[in-house]
Amino acid sequence: MLKRTYALRYVAGQLVKRIFPGAINQPLSPTAALPTVGTLRVMVWNIFKQQRADWLWGLKSYGKDAQLVLLQEAQTTPELVSFAIDNYLATDQVPAFVLPQHPSGVMTLAAAHPVYCCPLREREPLLRLAKSALITVYPLFNDQLLMVVNIHAVNFSLGVDVYSRQLWPIGEQIVNHQGPVIMAGDFNAWNRKRINALYEFASGMALREVNFIDDYRRKAFGRPLDFVFYRDLRVVKSSVLETSASDHNPLLVEFHRS
């Protein structure tokens, strides 16, 4: 049985906090909104537990000017935590599993404090290791609330029951959210059943897929693993950057209010 799921919140000058599912902060002032009067720049990247030597250079270069950075397989090493608190107002990470020194899981870095945070975990049925997801909500300059879903989907399973089960609690929250939504991450959609389940879920949530003209996304069995879906936003620009800093290539998307 999984231990109680929580997120770790990193903010400069504050002690690390544990945030449990459903924890809601008091609404913040308009000055605390994401700075999105122009475009909202988002980077999505499976960072491969920072195993490559140039991962920090990649974050600094590829994530420059991004108001949201959604990482998967992020280890809370001192170097990554330092980068996060030096460049972003709030960083939330869901420890999917604990490695010898540092927990690893999805991590969302944001240029605003979230008003809502819901960490989720699902155990791999075969390897018995957990994968994580994180739902955060941020105020926008126009008094709307943006829901951001950062997910690392289960990888090894027979059939799609566990895969779909990981999406269900996310769907419950998207359905009840009034406002724009971004759902992105490493979906491990490497076979037809998985990709069909993912597209069926996205369609049911009225989410559209971001397309990439020069598609250099990491693939398995000929299918991309990383996706960005959205609702009530307009895509201004999208790209995939080729890099040796991870076994996945980062996705960059610029959104504008539709």
Side-chain angles (χ1 to χ4, degrees), residues 107-136:
M107 175 183 283
T108 300
L109 296 71
H113 292 274
V115 296
Y116 176 79
C117 177
C118 182
L120 300 165
R121 290 196 301 167
E122 186 67 48
R123 192 180 293 280
E124 296 267 13
L126 298 180
L127 299 181
R128 308 307 297 165
L129 297 175
K131 289 292 193 296
S132 58
L134 175 63
I135 302 171
T136 43

Side-chain angles (χ1 to χ4, degrees), residues 5 17 35 46 49 54 100-101 145 160 188 249:
T5 303
K17 296 179 181 179
N46 184 320
K49 304 183 185 69
D54 49 353
Q101 287 183 300
L145 294 174
V160 293
N188 278 315
N249 288 326

Side-chain angles (χ1 to χ4, degrees), residues 52 79 99:
R52 302 281 175 85
E79 295 82 5
L99 297 169

